[in-house]
Amino acid sequence: MANFRKIGIITSGGDCGGLNAVIKGVARRAYSSGIEAVVIPNGYAGLYNLVDMDNIVALTADRISSIQASIAGSEAGHSRVKIGKIQDPTKYERIKNGLKKFGIDGLIISGGDDTGSVVVDLLAQGIPCVHVPKTMDLDLQSYSVGGDSAINRIAVLTRELKTTGMSHNRILVLEVFGRYVGHTALRGGVAAEADCILIPEIPVDFDVVYEDMKRRYFSRIERSDVKAGTYAIVVSEGIKTITGELLYNESVGVDAFGHKKLAGAGKYVRQQLEKRLKNDPEVKEFMKKVGMYAPGVYEAPEVREVVPGHIVRSGHTSAYDVNFGEKAGAAAVILLIEGKSGNTVVNVTGNKIHYQSTAEIIKRREVDLSEIALFESLGTCFGRKPQKYDYELLVETSTKIERFL
Ligand code: F6P
């Protein structure tokens, strides 16, 4: 068991729900173990610049109380700085000097895959650190704090958008964050009973989307006594074109981690549907039949894309993420004390702390496509011809590690 007197907390990458719960879990557990917890502000940028700081914030009992676990974002601040990319050959010495200056002998670092790769680097430099999984994208091998909060936000936004969609008989496309995987779009979309969910893991056939939209949207309006209807699509920002290209705008550039900033998936989906609506002779007949047609003004249903962007990771943290965050933060302190540096907290079940090497946890996890066919059998469109749900029956013989998604 290693002897730690002071540990630093870093939150890094994109912020999201649950991080303040992680901070509180770390600080309270450290406090109860007689260890001082301090904030290293603004992610790895702060770690790099620590040596030049005059003072840092200690998470005393009073200071911890001033942080609300249920508020998203992070009291410790964020940056998308990856230490390995800093153009300074003395960067690791500088970091070590900063830690020495403030007497910090271990780090708890919460972040996603890029953040985790720095945890591996720092450990190789002899700096003890434990990783708490965090990303609204849910693309790590374990559950990561922030995922459930983002899913809930997406579900609420999608459900609420339907009210304006119904009033205007519009087809609505909600483009959501998630990078190269569709976990949050999928779960949020299912929770909101979206008609169609488009994810990066499934190349989109827009003819399939159009036919599904037409069938459901037309019949909804035809059957409605007030001739109202909508069709809701949740699209992950990382979907690819039929030729396999990501939809990003060159002018938006890359972030400090070097990732392309994705943009334009919602717009692309809208354009694909508008093109088909314009060229479909049945559309005019439908508009006339339901009393929507106005020559030269309103000849086809409208499609609108909505891009909430950072709103999906702002605001409030879900109850699940507060629970997971506090447990994971506290467990990270225990792992650090127990000399388990270079590992990621996977979960806490009862008195068992599950952990795995950070290098393994940060490998990208995509949506399990075998489950998609189940939702297709329930009527959701995924931009492909529905496939048969090929199931297998398994009897449980032991308690498994809880895996959220
Ligand atoms: O990785 C988390 C995430 O929210 C992605 O889903 C999204 O593409 C990206 O961050 C946005 O990054 P930024 O906040 O740097 O614009």
Side-chain angles (χ1 to χ4, degrees):
M1 193 181 285
N3 188 20
F4 288 91
R5 279 157 300 137
K6 194 189 276 187
I7 58 174
I9 303 174
I10 296 176
T11 56
S12 161
D15 72 342
C16 57
L19 286 157
N20 285 323
V22 171
I23 293 171
K24 290 190 92 160
V26 170
R28 287 217 161 108
R29 181 68 208 185
Y31 188 74
S32 69
S33 311
I35 299 169
E36 190 183 350
V38 295
V39 167
I40 297 179
N42 303 320
Y44 291 132
L47 182 64
Y48 175 71
N49 289 304
L50 191 60
V51 69
D52 297 329
M53 292 180 195
D54 295 329
N55 44 51
I56 45 173
V57 171
L59 291 171
T60 58
D62 272 359
R63 189 63 181 86
I64 301 168
S65 302
S66 74
I67 303 170
Q68 275 193 57
S70 60
I71 298 292
S74 166
E75 188 79 359
H78 278 252
S79 62
R80 283 201 185 273
V81 169
K82 211 166 171 176
I83 301 293
K85 292 201 166 182
I86 299 176
Q87 292 169 7
D88 172 1
T90 68
K91 52 190 176 257
Y92 291 109
E93 276 319 299
R94 199 174 141 80
I95 288 171
K96 285 180 200 169
N97 289 338
L99 294 173
K100 200 164 159 201
K101 173 174 172 178
F102 290 102
I104 299 169
D105 30 32
L107 298 172
I108 306 281
I109 304 174
S110 191
D113 52 352
D114 289 297
T115 300
S117 71
V118 177
V119 168
V120 177
D121 291 351
L122 294 175
L123 185 69
Q125 294 293 325
I127 301 169
C129 40
V130 167
H131 175 231
V132 177
K134 172 275 348 160
T135 169
M136 62 147 285
D137 300 341
L138 286 172
D139 57 354
L140 303 180
Q141 292 296 317
S142 65
Y143 176 71
S144 51
V145 76
D148 185 61
S149 304
I151 289 167
N152 280 290
R153 301 278 286 182
I154 291 169
V156 168
L157 290 171
T158 310
R159 271 198 298 266
E160 293 188 346
L161 266 178
K162 289 185 193 177
T163 63
T164 179
M166 287 291 281
S167 306
H168 286 264
N169 287 0
R170 282 177 177 151
I171 295 134
L172 291 169
V173 181
L174 185 80
E175 174 190 317
V176 295
F177 276 173
R179 197 84 76 182
Y180 309 115
V181 293
H183 298 289
T184 44
L186 167 65
R187 304 298 167 182
V190 167
E193 298 184 79
D195 298 297
C196 176
I197 302 168
L198 304 176
I199 58 175
E201 291 86 344
I202 300 178
V204 185
D205 181 336
F206 283 98
D207 289 333
V208 170
V209 177
Y210 182 71
E211 284 311 317
D212 186 77
M213 182 275 284
K214 200 173 136 185
R215 183 177 55 78
R216 287 208 243 182
Y217 171 81
F218 280 21
S219 81
R220 268 174 201 158
I221 297 177
E222 280 168 6
R223 282 187 281 117
S224 160
D225 57 355
V226 287
K227 300 291 168 252
T230 184
Y231 182 90
I233 303 176
V234 176
V235 54
S236 176
E237 62 176 352
I239 58 158
K240 298 182 188 81
T241 62
I242 306 159
T243 49
E245 287 150 40
L246 275 167
L247 297 160
Y248 77 98
N249 186 339
E250 289 286 354
S251 63
V252 183
V254 295
D255 65 22
F257 275 161
H259 295 297
K260 288 168 180 164
K261 288 187 188 163
L262 303 175
K267 183 175 166 196
Y268 187 80
V269 173
R270 170 173 63 75
Q271 288 168 340
Q272 292 294 318
L273 294 179
E274 280 175 345
K275 193 170 75 184
R276 285 165 177 79
L277 282 164
K278 198 168 161 228
N279 298 326
D280 184 345
E282 287 178 20
V283 169
K284 193 169 166 183
E285 291 316 305
F286 160 75
M287 294 284 281
K288 285 185 172 168
K289 189 174 164 195
V290 297
M292 285 165 65
Y293 188 73
V297 182
Y298 191 25
E299 299 191 346
E302 293 167 322
V303 188
R304 293 292 162 91
E305 87 262 18
V306 177
V307 185
H310 296 85
I311 290 172
V312 301
R313 53 181 226 218
S314 307
H316 282 90
T317 292
S318 71
Y320 184 88
D321 275 339
V322 173
N323 276 266
F324 182 85
E326 290 205 0
K327 286 201 292 187
V333 176
I334 296 171
L335 287 180
L336 193 65
I337 295 171
E338 292 288 344
K340 302 292 181 195
S341 269
N343 284 295
T344 301
V345 178
V346 169
N347 203 356
V348 178
T349 54
N351 69 346
K352 296 191 176 51
I353 295 174
H354 307 268
Y355 67 93
Q356 199 176 346
S357 100
T358 304
E360 282 303 309
I361 285 288
I362 60 177
K363 291 181 182 162
R364 187 185 299 168
R365 184 177 67 94
E366 300 190 341
V367 167
D368 178 354
L369 292 185
S370 66
E371 203 179 300
I372 295 297
L374 177 61
F375 290 114
E376 285 173 330
S377 73
L378 307 180
T380 311
C381 174
F382 284 88
R384 67 175 189 185
K385 292 212 166 64
Q387 297 189 3
K388 186 170 172 284
Y389 181 50
D390 209 0
Y391 57 83
E392 217 184 302
L393 301 181
L394 283 178
V395 60
E396 289 292 346
T397 49
S398 63
T399 311
K400 295 262 160 40
I401 295 175
E402 180 198 340
R403 184 163 175 149
F404 181 65
L405 292 168

